[in-house]
């Protein structure tokens, strides 16, 4: 039997429609337009493409959007000054500094300079702390998107054995924290596996919900998955290019084999990927609503 596909692309489109309606309502009732600034330093092609996509979506949803593109040799102090300027800007509710930053800039120093109430990436320690103790917080966009995919696909997380593969600050650690909260769409029993885990398969085979953010194509094979499990593949690995130069992407899960065992699975592309930008927009909308 083939697993049901959890299509992030469709879920993301549905959430974007909801955001659009709320943007109109916020404008009508309070005269507020959600504002997002994206700051890009340097010319990394992947970062340029991500920032373009964020700007495009932000425009489509009716946000006030600003793009700042700075040269790669921008000094740390100049970048910090820009962040402080947007911290004070009433029209801007969300500030996103695209990572990675050039090596001469201390990434944490810049992220920590962002006003936590405008930290729509959810990377500031204040938001990380709020998330861990279960207070309202901006949640990092990819894990927030994963939780929404589970909820909107009717996957029961309460009491479920969740196994997360990967312990990054952007995906692994936050999704584990989000799903163990005493809250709707959470209440799971969570295990985190990583590169030093002794017997990875022993853990992954226990999972009712397996979330993989290992950054390694095909890291999860069919023999590592429990029959009937829900499998969320966060991996986006470029394994080559088409004749036309288009990127060929593969997840961290051996999709063809695992889909015969799982009850539901996310494809790559079209799974978790489209959710990330959408949740950034939702965080920005929430920031705008909170402000007034
Ligand atoms: N670079 C790759 N992913 C992200 C993200 O989610 N936020 C930011 N700011 N930079 C990134």
């Amino acid at each position: 039997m083939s697993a049901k596909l959890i299509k992030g692309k469709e879920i993301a489109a549905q959430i974007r429609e909801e955001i659009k309606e709320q943007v109109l309502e916020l404008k009508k009732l309070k005269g507020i337009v959600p504002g997002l600034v994206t700051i890009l330093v340097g010319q990394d092609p992947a970062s340029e493409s991500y920032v373009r996509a964020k700007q495009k979506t932000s425009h489509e949803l009716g946000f006030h959007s600003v793009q700042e593109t700075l040269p790669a040799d921008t000094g740390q102090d100049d970048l910090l000054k820009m962040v402080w300027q947007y911290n004070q800007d009433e029209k801007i509710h969300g500030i996103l500094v695209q990572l990675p930053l050039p090596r001469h800039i201390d990434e944490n120093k810049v992220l920590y300079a962002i006003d936590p109430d405008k930290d729509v990436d959810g990377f500031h320690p204040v938001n990380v702390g709020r998330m861990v103790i279960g207070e309202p917080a901006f949640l990092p966009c990819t894990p927030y998107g994963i939780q929404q995919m589970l909820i909107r696909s009717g996957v029961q997380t309460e009491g479920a054995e969740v196994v997360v593969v990967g312990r990054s600050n952007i995906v692994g650690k936050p999704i584990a924290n989000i799903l163990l909260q005493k809250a709707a769409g959470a209440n799971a029993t969570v295990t985190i596996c990583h590169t030093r885990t002794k017997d990875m398969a022993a853990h992954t085979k226990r999972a009712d919900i397996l979330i993989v953010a290992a950054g390694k194509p095909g890291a999860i094979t069919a023999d590592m998955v429990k029959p009937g499990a829900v499998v969320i593949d966060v991996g986006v690995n470029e394994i080559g290019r088409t004749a036309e130069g288009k990127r060929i992407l593969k997840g961290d899960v051996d999709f063809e084999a695992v889909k015969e065992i799982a009850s539901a699975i996310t494809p790559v592309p079209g799974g978790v990927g489209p959710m990330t930008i959408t949740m950034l927009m939702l965080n920005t909308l929430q920031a705008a609503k909170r402000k007034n």
Side-chain angles (χ1 to χ4, degrees):
M1 202 187 73
S2 212
K4 179 184 114 175
L5 280 186
I6 301 178
K7 294 177 185 162
K9 207 170 162 183
E10 288 177 8
I11 299 169
Q14 186 190 339
I15 297 174
R16 285 179 204 191
E17 282 311 308
E18 294 166 12
I19 295 174
K20 250 191 212 169
E21 282 170 25
Q22 291 181 56
V23 170
L24 290 176
E25 198 174 284
L26 191 62
K27 193 171 176 189
K28 201 167 88 187
L29 294 181
K30 296 194 174 169
I32 297 170
V33 177
L36 173 69
V37 60
T38 48
I39 303 174
L40 174 66
V41 185
Q43 291 174 314
D44 175 65
S47 291
E48 281 178 334
S49 130
Y50 287 135
V51 165
R52 251 196 318 274
K54 287 167 187 175
Q55 278 294 319
K56 182 168 173 273
T57 310
S58 165
H59 279 293
E60 282 167 2
L61 297 180
F63 286 14
H64 164 59
S65 36
V66 179
Q67 168 60 41
E68 294 281 7
T69 308
L70 302 173
D73 62 357
T74 299
Q76 180 170 293
D77 286 349
D78 288 331
L79 180 56
L80 286 171
K81 270 184 206 145
M82 180 172 276
V83 169
W84 293 331
Q85 175 202 321
Y86 282 111
N87 279 346
Q88 303 301 322
D89 189 331
E90 301 246 308
K91 284 195 185 146
I92 293 296
H93 306 96
I95 301 172
L96 180 135
V97 177
Q98 186 65 28
L99 304 178
L101 287 169
R103 267 208 294 271
H104 66 279
I105 298 179
D106 181 343
E107 223 158 69
N108 283 347
K109 209 159 192 173
V110 175
L111 293 179
Y112 299 178
I114 297 172
D115 177 346
D117 291 336
K118 295 192 177 188
D119 168 38
V120 286
D121 252 332
F123 292 165
H124 192 288
V126 166
N127 280 311
V128 176
R130 286 178 181 156
M131 171 189 70
V132 171
I133 61 178
E135 274 200 27
F138 290 119
L139 301 178
C141 302
T142 301
Y144 190 14
I146 293 170
Q147 186 191 35
Q148 282 300 311
M149 289 174 95
L150 294 172
I151 293 171
R152 289 172 185 250
S153 310
V155 175
Q156 181 63 258
T157 53
E158 176 134 355
E161 289 281 347
V162 170
V163 176
V164 177
V165 180
R167 56 177 157 181
S168 71
N169 289 334
I170 294 183
V171 183
K173 284 182 202 162
I175 191 61
N177 272 287
I178 289 168
L179 293 180
L180 69 76
Q181 293 299 322
K182 196 169 186 175
N187 275 323
T189 303
V190 183
T191 303
I192 306 183
C193 298
H194 48 76
T195 45
R196 302 297 168 92
T197 295
K198 273 190 191 145
D199 184 355
M200 180 87 76
H203 294 283
T204 58
K205 277 170 94 160
R206 283 190 299 106
D208 301 315
I209 302 171
L210 179 60
I211 301 172
V212 190
K216 199 170 148 205
I220 299 297
T221 49
D223 57 317
M224 298 170 80
V225 178
K226 178 165 104 171
V230 173
V231 179
I232 307 291
D233 188 352
V234 189
V236 185
N237 307 291
E238 185 179 323
I239 55 157
R241 298 259 172 170
T242 64
E244 300 81 42
K246 248 187 102 184
R247 301 196 308 155
I248 303 169
L249 300 178
K250 192 171 175 354
D252 291 346
V253 174
D254 179 358
F255 180 82
E256 287 307 321
V258 171
K259 81 176 196 312
E260 299 305 323
I261 290 166
S263 63
I265 187 167
T266 58
V268 178
V272 176
M275 295 296 292
T276 300
I277 293 181
T278 300
M279 303 321 286
L280 173 70
M281 301 302 143
L282 189 57
N283 277 345
T284 306
L285 171 67
Q286 280 163 349
K289 281 185 172 175
R290 255 198 226 173
K291 206 69 200 169
N292 286 274

